[in-house]
Amino acid sequence: FNEYCNMLIGSVDSQNAVTIATTLRDALGQDAAHLIKVVPNFSLIMGDLCNIDADSGCVDAQKRLQYLLCRFVEIISDSSSRP
């Protein structure tokens, strides 16, 4: 995932990169901070949006992280399959 974030930031098709980043921000919101802990380069896409306490209470952190990773993959898959 880190490598994908690098490729997205350095993308020649900057409009597609902006669209993907916006979609990720909208879909994940402040919960994206939890992904940044395991995918540090994701902060390059999300920017200052994630300057929150990523350790804020969660009953089941593993399920939250699993859900966020699934959403991340779903969004990048959808955007790469568009013409």
Side-chain angles (χ1 to χ4, degrees):
F1 293 112
N2 244 358
E3 188 60 32
Y4 178 80
C5 291
N6 285 338
M7 289 183 340
L8 183 62
I9 293 300
S11 176
V12 174
D13 182 8
S14 62
Q15 183 57 41
N16 189 41
V18 169
T19 301
I20 294 170
T22 301
T23 305
L24 286 166
R25 281 189 205 98
D26 291 345
L28 303 178
Q30 291 185 342
D31 286 338
H34 302 289
L35 278 182
I36 290 174
K37 285 185 142 186
V38 293
V39 184
N41 289 346
F42 189 48
S43 65
L44 300 172
I45 296 169
M46 300 306 287
D48 292 335
L49 179 67
C50 293
N51 285 338
I52 64 165
D53 180 17
D55 291 326
S56 58
C58 179
V59 176
D60 196 344
Q62 183 177 357
K63 285 184 180 180
R64 176 190 57 211
L65 184 59
Q66 193 172 21
Y67 169 77
L68 292 169
L69 284 168
C70 287
R71 288 293 293 146
F72 178 84
V73 170
E74 180 182 322
I75 291 166
I76 62 175
S77 297
D78 287 347
S79 63
S80 65
S81 65
R82 291 184 197 146

